[in-house]
Amino acid sequence: MAKTETKQTAEAQNFDKYVRWFWMLFLGGIFLIVLLFLLASWGAFGELPDHTQLENPKTNLATEIISSDGKTLGKFYFNDNRTPVSYEELPKQLVEALVATEDVRYYDHSGIDARGTLRAFLKPGSGGASTISQQLAKQLFTKRASSNKIKRLLQKFKEWIIAIRLERQYTKEEIIAQYFNIYDFGNNGDGIRSAANIYFDKEAKDLNLKESAMLVGMFKNSSLYNPRRNPVGVKNRRNVVLSQMQKYEYIEKKAKDSLQKTELDLRYSPQSHRDGVATYFREYLRSWMKDWTKDKANRKPDGSKYNINSDGLKVFVTLDSRMQKYAETAVARHMPKLQAEFFHQNTPKRNPTAPFLELDKDEIEKLMNDGMKRGERWRVLKKEGKNEKEIRASFQKPTKMTVFKWENGKPSEVDTIMKPIDSMRYYKSFLHPGMMSMDPKTGHVKAWVGGMNYRHFQYDHVKQGKRQVGSTFKPFVYATAIDQLHMSPCDKIPISQITIEANKYGNPEPWTPSNSDGKYGGEKTLKDALAASVNTGTARLMDKVGPQPVAKLARNLGVTSDIPEVPSIALGTPDISVYEMVGAYSAFANKGVYTKPVMIERIEDKNGTVLYQFTPETKDVLSEESAYVTVKLMEGVVQSGSGSRLRGKWRANQTLYKEIITGYPYELSNPIAGKTGTTQNQSDGWFMGMVPNLVTGVWVGAEDRAAHFSSISYGQGASMALPIWGMYMKSCYEDKTLNVSKGNFEKPKNLSIEVDCEKYQQDNPDGDNDTPTEEIPDELDLMP
């Protein structure tokens, strides 16, 4: 009996011992967890963000370029292509997909899901331990998870503390918005807005249910579930998200089953600095912004410089995304056909020195050598320590490369093996465009196309490039004559040959311009002389007013390029940019007031504080009367001169023009003032066109002036540049929301110069000895 009692007592003591151990371990575990929490909160496992950091977490935000119609044209960023959106901009089904998949009890906890955490401890690998708040904490403040299990456990405690603090700092909605904004969806898709743009070519607020499910599915691992590399895995993951949404009654089973059978339906739109819309303008803007940030007056409150790649600035520009698109489309429609004809005419059989004309072997060799030394290849090899002989030898060695080509009317790339020297010659065979469109009253630039493909041709032919302007300079001569001599478009001038003797205007030798058709008899009205681009008529006006006033007028109209004060400038010998020419012509449409072109309206920081606001710069240059009369003169170019093809007139047998001029005829019947320009040997083709509220200039030519069409039929401005203008304006008119004017230029109230030539003839009957208008002697016209 005693033995039995002793045994029971021993068993009771052992049980008590186990109970004590259990409570010691249990309480010790709780104490350890509390201690770890305390240590984590004291920063023992790594520095914790303070109140200021929680309120303003450090994230790199891209600078966003916003058009005048509210569209994003592009962004500046280094690594993070991130532009935040608010919770209100997130579609309901996107938020529901996140909660259903990542944290179903999100609205019931305060940063830590106790049930999920306990389940994760008891059943490792079951998931559910990490809440949305914890994941945000990890993204913002701990980033990369440690591979060491102990370190990762300690890191978890740190994330828990931060998650709890985030829940105190922000609302549930703000945390969700931050999480969507911070996540990297791959392929430069930093944040939900970039991801929506890149994968579906739409804004985040416009995402539908299955698109939302796909993007939420990528939260598991965006590197593994990348729709570009792993579409099958991404589709499966999207379907898991849809199942979760159905499980928690966010969607019906019927909707889930239907959507799970669909494809991803990506509209992949990669975003990079060399792709997208308005690439040349964006690069100009980047340079301008860098200079802007260097100015000490444009510093942050703490005195540091703004970083255009990471400070989340918003740059509101004057470009209109619709007009920019129409401009780029016009270029893309015209240039491939023009280029195809240029290649056709410059085969080695037709032109042994292709693509160059007039140059001999030695001149071509010098041109290519100069091009080598200016190129990127030379610079890189020189930096690598190669000597000149080695570098030159490398240009003769066949190399794998990707080159640009037009294919089926679209820009494309082709992989090939080519000698670098041959690739140089190939690229010098391309014709390039430059185009700018501007509101003459406000100075707001509406479209800017610096070339045909920024990825392969970075040179900007709007502001960087300067080329001879040819006959587009003549209106400056006519405007000077009207302003100084009060001449009417109906006044007549002889078109006989004229010689301006040496030293009269600082000319080193006599100057005798000629007309390309060799005809010099009779007289013409100023309007007909400009429409026919008669060189001798312009030279006579230059002799009357002198080159100094003409050059002065051009400078007052915003032309900063060098203009020698000699008579020959009358025919357009100076090199001037498209940017300067559009600004100058705008003064004619704006009643003689020059308005400096404006590209940037304002700049805001990420909080919406205005950092920069543009101030218009205007200057009275011509009287309203002189400007209006000059415009009426240029209307004659479109009515009966080289610009008259804009009216839709053309010969049925001119098949060559039907091939290269897409969208022709244009059938524009509204008042248009303009001027074509063609330079020596057809190296440059221009068209400057105006309506009351829009002035647009187009230039087309090759990189080297020796590469050009052999005949004026193709090489004139009316064939190279005018078609781009015509297609662009036709698209602008079809878009009624743009309100591009179809009306008349506003007539001055007290017009003292007669512009109606029929009425002028009646008032001056003795002066009616005009000869018939010749059809564009120096710029071949195809009108009947």
Side-chain angles (χ1 to χ4, degrees):
M1 187 70 177
K3 287 184 177 180
T4 302
E5 290 178 356
T6 303
K7 185 178 179 181
Q8 289 177 343
T9 302
E11 288 177 353
Q13 288 175 345
N14 286 336
F15 180 76
D16 290 342
K17 183 172 68 173
Y18 292 140
V19 171
R20 284 197 303 272
W21 274 108
F22 169 78
W23 284 108
M24 286 173 62
L25 290 173
F26 179 75
L27 294 174
I30 293 176
F31 174 77
L32 180 61
I33 292 172
V34 171
L35 179 63
L36 289 172
F37 264 106
L38 288 172
L39 290 172
S41 65
W42 295 334
F45 306 144
E47 186 180 353
L48 290 172
D50 59 23
H51 176 79
T52 304
Q53 290 171 307
L54 284 172
E55 195 171 280
N56 297 287
K58 178 73 175 170
T59 54
N60 291 331
L61 302 177
T63 287
E64 187 177 10
I65 305 162
I66 303 170
S67 69
S68 61
D69 57 322
K71 303 295 182 182
T72 299
L73 296 178
K75 300 175 187 177
F76 297 142
Y77 59 91
F78 184 61
N79 286 323
D80 297 337
N81 176 23
R82 180 177 292 103
T83 306
V85 297
S86 66
Y87 180 82
E88 289 69 30
E89 295 175 88
L90 300 175
K92 182 183 177 184
Q93 64 266 19
L94 181 69
V95 176
E96 291 173 345
L98 177 68
V99 172
T101 309
E102 297 292 325
D103 190 356
V104 71
R105 285 176 291 278
Y106 175 68
Y107 295 103
D108 300 323
H109 63 67
S110 300
I112 301 175
D113 181 4
R115 286 171 56 185
T117 302
L118 183 60
R119 185 175 68 248
F121 272 118
L122 297 176
K123 191 179 178 182
S126 62
S130 190
T131 65
I132 292 172
S133 304
Q134 286 173 244
Q135 292 180 50
L136 177 60
K138 177 183 173 182
Q139 291 283 332
L140 286 175
F141 300 110
T142 61
K143 300 291 182 184
R144 193 171 180 177
S146 174
S147 58
N148 183 289
K149 290 183 179 180
I150 295 177
K151 287 184 178 179
R152 179 59 190 140
L153 179 61
L154 297 178
Q155 198 175 51
K156 270 286 185 185
F157 278 97
K158 181 180 176 182
E159 290 170 10
W160 283 335
I161 296 298
I162 298 172
I164 293 170
R165 292 184 179 181
L166 286 171
E167 290 269 354
R168 291 175 182 169
Q169 184 78 32
Y170 297 102
T171 65
K172 290 286 188 180
E173 291 74 19
E174 289 171 334
I175 288 173
I176 284 178
Q178 284 196 63
Y179 187 45
F180 273 116
N181 286 325
I182 197 66
Y183 194 76
D184 179 2
F185 290 88
N187 297 311
N188 275 339
D190 299 297
I192 190 64
R193 186 176 180 196
S194 293
N197 291 158
I198 290 169
Y199 293 122
F200 299 110
D201 193 24
K202 58 172 62 174
E203 289 297 322
K205 61 185 174 65
D206 299 320
L207 290 168
N208 62 32
L209 176 55
K210 74 172 189 175
E211 292 164 348
S212 299
M214 189 204 88
L215 292 173
V216 167
M218 293 177 69
F219 277 116
K220 188 172 182 67
N221 185 332
S222 60
S223 295
L224 175 61
Y225 296 105
N226 186 311
R228 293 284 291 168
R229 297 194 297 267
N230 183 14
V232 175
V234 171
K235 183 179 177 181
N236 291 337
R237 181 63 190 159
R238 178 204 67 184
N239 290 348
V240 169
V241 174
L242 291 170
S243 295
Q244 287 294 104
M245 294 184 75
Q246 189 261 320
K247 177 181 178 181
Y248 293 108
E249 300 181 349
Y250 286 114
I251 60 174
E252 299 290 336
K253 185 176 185 301
K254 184 179 178 181
K256 180 210 74 170
D257 293 341
S258 174
L259 290 173
Q260 285 182 337
K261 295 175 184 177
T262 63
E263 298 302 319
L264 295 177
D265 294 332
L266 296 177
R267 292 182 62 190
Y268 186 64
S269 305
Q271 292 186 354
S272 75
H273 303 308
R274 293 189 174 188
D275 295 307
V277 69
T279 44
Y280 291 89
F281 171 76
R282 280 156 43 197
E283 199 54 35
Y284 160 77
L285 181 62
R286 180 194 298 278
S287 177
W288 186 92
M289 289 286 293
K290 284 181 178 178
D291 290 339
W292 178 81
T293 60
K294 290 176 184 176
D295 191 332
K296 290 183 178 180
N298 303 321
R299 297 290 175 91
K300 295 180 183 179
D302 63 4
S304 62
K305 289 199 303 183
Y306 282 100
N307 188 319
I308 65 171
N309 294 316
S310 61
D311 278 335
L313 303 178
K314 291 187 183 296
V315 185
F316 295 85
V317 299
T318 61
L319 264 66
D320 185 292
S321 69
R322 297 159 296 182
M323 298 173 81
Q324 181 67 28
K325 178 183 176 183
Y326 301 147
E328 292 183 5
T329 299
V331 166
R333 289 179 66 190
H334 178 62
M335 294 307 296
K337 291 180 179 276
L338 190 68
Q339 188 65 53
E341 181 58 37
F342 189 73
F343 279 143
H344 176 71
Q345 294 186 21
N346 277 281
T347 60
K349 185 176 180 180
R350 290 186 176 88
N351 176 19
T353 60
F356 311 112
L357 298 173
E358 297 96 33
L359 300 186
D360 59 32
K361 184 178 178 182
D362 290 340
E363 289 172 322
I364 292 174
E365 185 175 351
K366 182 181 183 305
L367 186 150
M368 297 300 288
N369 283 335
D370 291 343
M372 267 192 258
K373 292 182 178 180
R374 290 196 302 266
E376 180 71 7
R377 184 182 185 84
W378 187 285
R379 186 189 67 80
V380 171
L381 293 177
K382 193 79 173 174
K383 193 174 181 179
E384 291 177 0
K386 305 287 186 184
N387 59 44
E388 186 168 321
K389 185 178 180 181
E390 291 173 317
I391 296 174
R392 288 187 182 280
S394 75
F395 276 86
Q396 303 297 331
K397 188 182 298 183
T399 306
K400 287 183 179 180
M401 61 180 71
T402 301
V403 297
F404 172 85
K405 67 175 293 190
W406 289 111
E407 190 168 22
N408 299 322
K410 295 182 179 180
S412 65
E413 296 177 335
V414 59
D415 294 327
T416 186
I417 296 176
M418 188 184 291
K419 293 178 182 178
I421 192 70
D422 291 338
S423 73
M424 276 183 57
R425 197 155 183 158
Y426 170 72
Y427 275 119
K428 286 182 180 292
S429 300
F430 278 95
L431 299 171
H432 301 271
M435 176 182 181
M436 188 176 114
S437 192
M438 168 180 159
D439 183 325
K441 293 179 174 62
T442 63
H444 288 189
V445 174
K446 294 297 181 182
W448 177 306
V449 185
M452 56 194 174
N453 185 273
Y454 187 79
R455 181 174 287 278
H456 289 273
F457 307 99
Q458 278 92 51
Y459 194 78
D460 179 15
H461 293 285
V462 169
K463 209 165 190 294
Q464 278 182 292
K466 296 186 179 187
R467 296 292 284 261
Q468 282 191 343
V469 292
S471 295
T472 58
F473 194 88
K474 288 177 180 177
F476 301 146
V477 181
Y478 280 75
T480 304
I482 292 165
D483 200 47
Q484 285 190 1
L485 308 175
H486 210 65
M487 297 184 76
S488 163
C490 313
D491 284 333
K492 296 183 177 66
I493 51 173
I495 60 170
S496 57
Q497 204 152 23
I498 178 177
T499 296
I500 297 179
E501 61 269 23
N503 300 317
K504 182 174 182 181
Y505 295 113
N507 229 22
E509 54 188 41
W511 181 56
T512 307
S514 59
N515 295 330
S516 63
D517 64 353
K519 296 178 182 179
Y520 301 100
E523 296 180 320
K524 283 186 181 296
T525 64
L526 264 65
K527 188 172 184 178
D528 287 341
L530 183 63
S533 209
V534 179
N535 291 338
T536 54
T538 309
R540 287 185 177 277
L541 291 178
M542 176 62 83
D543 192 39
K544 287 177 180 289
V545 299
Q548 290 85 1
V550 175
K552 182 180 179 182
L553 173 63
R555 293 188 192 108
N556 285 335
L557 292 173
V559 177
T560 57
S561 299
D562 181 49
I563 304 177
E565 294 180 350
V566 294
S568 61
I569 62 173
L571 305 187
T573 54
D575 288 354
I576 304 175
S577 70
V578 173
Y579 172 87
E580 293 170 287
M581 289 297 287
V582 172
Y585 267 65
S586 291
F588 297 132
N590 193 32
K591 303 178 181 180
V593 178
Y594 169 73
T595 302
K596 187 176 180 179
V598 176
M599 284 76 75
I600 300 100
E601 288 192 79
R602 72 183 187 278
I603 301 172
E604 295 179 358
D605 67 13
K606 64 181 181 181
N607 299 315
T609 302
V610 176
L611 306 175
Y612 167 86
Q613 187 86 43
F614 92 96
T615 303
E617 295 182 39
T618 61
K619 178 169 55 175
D620 290 332
V621 178
L622 283 169
S623 68
E624 184 178 349
E625 182 177 56
S626 296
Y628 179 76
V629 173
T630 304
V631 167
K632 298 303 287 185
L633 273 172
M634 285 190 278
E635 281 186 356
V637 174
V638 177
Q639 290 165 355
S640 62
S642 56
S644 58
R645 63 188 59 188
L646 292 170
R647 299 298 187 205
K649 303 172 186 177
W650 58 296
R651 287 181 184 174
N653 64 352
Q654 294 293 343
T655 55
L656 57 95
Y657 285 93
K658 284 190 281 184
E659 288 300 317
I660 69 168
I661 303 178
T662 311
Y664 189 79
Y666 312 102
E667 298 175 339
L668 300 176
S669 58
N670 54 288
I672 298 170
K675 187 70 190 80
T676 55
T678 308
T679 63
Q680 186 71 21
N681 297 327
Q682 301 83 240
S683 293
D684 306 278
W686 289 80
F687 184 72
M688 303 295 303
M690 303 185 290
V691 296
N693 64 350
L694 196 65
V695 176
T696 305
V698 183
W699 166 88
V700 174
E703 176 186 329
D704 295 290
R705 298 174 203 238
H708 57 79
F709 280 109
S710 59
S711 81
I712 200 168
S713 300
Y714 290 96
Q716 62 177 305
S719 297
M720 292 213 293
L722 180 143
I724 294 174
W725 193 95
M727 283 185 281
Y728 167 69
M729 290 300 293
K730 196 170 182 180
S731 295
C732 287
Y733 281 130
E734 287 171 355
D735 188 338
K736 304 300 182 185
T737 63
L738 294 175
N739 296 316
V740 176
S741 174
K742 283 191 173 184
N744 289 302
F745 290 88
E746 187 177 345
K747 185 178 180 179
K749 293 180 180 178
N750 299 312
L751 182 65
S752 63
I753 298 175
E754 184 58 68
V755 294
D756 183 344
C757 290
E758 287 187 13
K759 187 173 185 298
Y760 185 90
Q761 296 285 338
Q762 294 170 4
D763 294 341
N764 300 274
D766 296 335
D768 188 12
N769 62 346
D770 189 26
T771 56
T773 299
E774 297 294 334
E775 294 297 336
I776 316 308
D778 69 337
E779 294 175 11
L780 183 65
D781 186 35
L782 301 177
M783 303 305 119

